[in-house]
Amino acid sequence: MRAVGNSKGTVYIMALSRMVASRCLLLRNCSVLGALGSGPGPVATCSEPPKQVRWISASSRAGEKLALAKAETKAVQKHDFNRAVSEAEQIVGYPTSFLNLRFLLSDEIANVALHLRKLVGSNHPLLKSAKSLIYNDKSQQAWGLIILLISKTAGHTASVPEMDQDRSVGVLHSQRALAEVTEMIRSSQLIHQGVINLQSMDNAGNNLSGDSDMVFGNKIALLGGDYLLAHASKQIASLRNQDLNMLMTSAYRDLAESAFIGESDDQNNPIPSKPDTPPGTNSHECTLEELDFGDVRDNMEPMRVEGVMGHPEKEWSLRHVLGGGSLLGKSCHGALMLAGHPEELQKQGYLFGKHMSLAWQASIELQPFLLNQLPLGNTFSLVSAPVLFHLEFDPSVYELIEPGKNSIEDVDYAALHQEIIRGPGLDKTRNLQKKHSMAAMNVLDRFPTTDAQTALQNIILAMQQL
């Protein structure tokens, strides 16, 4: 872990202050405080919202849209993903960055932000987590937006109480609360990942200095993440839906289990297992049925892990279903549950969120390998899809990963990067991304044709260009 300079750390803290201040001003100007409250009320937006730009016909089928994606790449700018998200936010009434604004403005979070100043100049990873939250890293943003869009796409049944309905937007107040919960759980997970192991197992139990920056950073990471998680649990309980409560509790369990899949270094950073396949081996591409870990039939039960480790696509899928796909899928499932839809449609909501998350993750993991040279100091996940696919093709590359068993910082990422861009891992990852994009598109085709459905399709297509 590289040390974070005083000036750079100060920039993160100042950015957090400016972000909160600017959002407060925008809230006043756009009159959206009523939309963020817990009670019913219309969602107001700015007086002159930008005009929506429709890229595709909502009636187009999933296969046709994905076929057009490659041709559209030449005609549109790379910022189309941001445009897709911006247009989708107009459909649900306000930017998703406001979903957990109430908690950013609370006294407890303000105190956490002030305490972060004490970590400026240290190398505690919590500062990196704070930066990711402040600048809305693409791997973290828009989950709440997806939940609101699938909620609006499906609509609600007549059994939903009128006091829960927001006719001006078409999203239930309880669904908006669930979207907030998902954002908070996701943020708490990221903050908790900033906790570091300060002692080796051989030295465990010895007292550490209470004044240490590392000890203090761990305390902030634990308390900050726990605060968000506690508020999320409280908000779920306030919805008074036992089935939803059980569903989201199982998502907590999946997130916890994701930290114990496969091998890891001393800081619990995941590392791939040593491959035992002959060089040049190419496993077959898995069907969606082969990527069922028991969650398709019953997503409340723990997922099956037998026979998964060592198979690149199955191992990758399990890691990321547990680490995020389950949360997004179960949140979409829960949103349809709140709308009174039958169980079969609720399960389709789960599948949509799961495949959307996996397609998104594959897109993100491709990014470090789109450059011929890895920028100095940059790293990437050692259990990302390109790495796992390449290790199966050339097991000798594992020699570059073995030094990272104590700490992944000891891996020669530049050399590993060069090996991977020359192998088949990137093409396989692109195919993986397209497969899950197609699966998400196919689920969307089961829903009525609406602006919200079109917005989700546009986001999926834009992910091809990240």
Side-chain angles (χ1 to χ4, degrees):
M1 182 68 65
R2 293 172 290 130
V4 180
N6 288 329
S7 60
K8 190 173 182 181
T10 303
V11 168
Y12 298 160
I13 303 303
M14 293 176 64
L16 179 60
S17 302
R18 287 197 299 269
M19 178 185 68
V20 172
S22 64
R23 287 181 178 177
C24 289
L25 178 60
L26 185 56
L27 278 171
R28 291 197 297 270
N29 292 340
C30 299
S31 303
V32 298
L33 279 175
L36 293 174
S38 57
V43 178
T45 58
C46 292
S47 57
E48 296 184 2
K51 295 181 180 179
Q52 296 185 20
V53 181
R54 301 295 293 276
W55 307 344
I56 62 174
S57 168
S59 61
S60 300
R61 306 299 293 175
E64 296 172 347
K65 297 184 186 94
L66 284 177
L68 288 172
K70 183 175 180 180
E72 289 180 353
T73 301
K74 300 179 180 179
V76 296
Q77 299 292 327
K78 194 172 182 178
H79 60 264
D80 279 349
F81 179 82
N82 294 329
R83 186 174 70 180
V85 170
S86 177
E87 291 178 7
E89 288 175 336
Q90 295 174 39
I91 292 174
V92 297
Y94 56 89
T96 15
S97 56
F98 291 159
L99 282 173
N100 53 7
L101 180 62
R102 291 179 296 172
F103 303 100
L104 286 175
L105 294 176
S106 67
D107 291 339
E108 291 86 351
I109 293 298
N111 287 333
V112 170
L114 289 175
H115 286 309
L116 280 174
R117 292 177 181 270
K118 297 181 181 180
L119 295 180
V120 173
S122 74
N123 63 348
H124 199 286
L126 181 58
L127 284 176
K128 183 178 179 181
S129 300
K131 174 187 173 183
S132 179
L133 290 172
I134 291 170
Y135 292 110
N136 283 332
D137 186 353
K138 283 187 174 65
S139 64
Q140 308 300 327
Q141 67 181 358
W143 276 33
L145 175 63
I146 291 171
I147 296 165
L148 295 179
L149 287 172
I150 198 68
S151 299
K152 187 166 184 177
T153 298
H156 58 79
T157 64
S159 63
V160 175
E162 187 172 352
M163 64 178 298
D164 193 23
Q165 301 175 22
D166 187 343
R167 299 185 185 278
S168 63
V169 176
V171 175
L172 303 179
H173 297 296
S174 56
Q175 289 173 327
R176 186 179 300 123
L178 180 59
E180 291 180 6
V181 164
T182 303
E183 293 281 359
M184 282 187 284
I185 296 173
R186 184 77 163 147
S187 298
S188 71
Q189 181 197 24
L190 181 65
I191 293 173
H192 276 151
Q193 286 174 348
V195 177
I196 60 175
N197 183 12
L198 298 177
Q199 293 177 322
S200 65
M201 292 297 294
D202 295 336
N203 198 39
N206 292 337
N207 291 331
L208 294 169
S209 171
D211 298 328
S212 165
D213 286 339
M214 297 295 101
V215 172
F216 182 77
N218 276 359
K219 291 179 179 179
I220 295 298
L222 284 171
L223 294 176
D226 286 352
Y227 172 80
L228 288 176
L229 196 57
H231 265 279
S233 300
K234 178 181 177 182
Q235 192 153 334
I236 292 175
S238 69
L239 297 178
R240 299 181 181 277
N241 187 314
Q242 182 63 22
D243 290 336
L244 177 67
N245 197 357
M246 295 296 293
L247 180 68
M248 297 307 294
T249 298
S250 69
Y252 291 168
R253 178 203 63 214
D254 293 339
L255 287 174
E257 288 184 1
S258 69
F260 301 96
I261 296 296
E263 301 182 39
S264 60
D265 71 354
D266 289 343
Q267 294 299 333
N268 204 36
N269 296 304
I271 57 176
S273 303
K274 187 172 183 178
D276 55 3
T277 55
T281 298
N282 282 304
S283 59
H284 73 282
E285 182 178 339
C286 293
T287 64
L288 294 179
E289 289 73 19
E290 290 176 305
L291 297 178
D292 176 9
F293 307 110
D295 56 317
V296 175
R297 183 182 61 83
D298 184 0
N299 61 15
M300 297 285 287
E301 295 295 323
M303 297 186 191
R304 299 193 302 263
V305 299
E306 297 83 5
V308 170
M309 304 307 294
H311 187 290
E313 187 173 355
K314 289 183 179 180
E315 178 179 339
W316 179 86
S317 299
L318 178 64
R319 286 182 183 275
H320 293 294
V321 171
L322 288 173
S326 170
L327 175 61
L328 182 57
K330 291 179 180 180
S331 296
C332 293
H333 180 160
L336 301 187
M337 179 189 297
L338 291 169
H341 290 294
E343 185 176 347
E344 179 58 33
L345 193 62
Q346 294 174 28
K347 289 184 177 180
Q348 293 301 314
Y350 170 76
L351 292 176
F352 171 77
K354 169 185 172 179
H355 290 300
M356 186 78 170
S357 174
L358 293 178
W360 201 322
Q361 185 65 33
S363 295
I364 293 168
E365 292 180 353
L366 278 170
Q367 301 311 302
F369 302 98
L370 299 181
L371 301 174
N372 291 329
Q373 297 287 336
L374 186 69
L376 184 64
N378 282 26
T379 62
F380 48 85
S381 171
L382 297 178
V383 292
S384 62
V387 176
L388 293 178
F389 282 129
H390 190 83
L391 283 176
E392 180 189 46
F393 171 75
D394 185 5
S396 66
V397 174
Y398 193 77
E399 296 176 0
L400 297 173
I401 297 177
E402 281 185 313
K405 288 193 172 183
N406 292 328
S407 173
I408 60 172
E409 296 178 7
D410 298 331
V411 172
D412 187 345
Y413 284 94
L416 184 58
H417 179 272
Q418 289 299 303
E419 293 288 342
I420 291 172
I421 62 175
R422 291 194 292 263
L426 299 188
D427 286 338
K428 287 193 171 187
T429 303
R430 292 187 184 96
N431 292 336
L432 184 68
Q433 199 276 342
K434 291 177 182 176
K435 176 167 64 179
H436 289 291
S437 294
M438 176 66 78
M441 285 283 205
N442 287 336
V443 173
L444 282 180
D445 282 338
R446 295 172 175 263
F447 292 92
T449 300
T450 63
D451 285 346
Q453 183 206 44
T454 301
L456 285 169
Q457 292 167 341
N458 285 335
I459 290 175
I460 293 173
L461 290 181
M463 283 194 298
Q464 317 288 326
Q465 305 168 36
L466 279 178

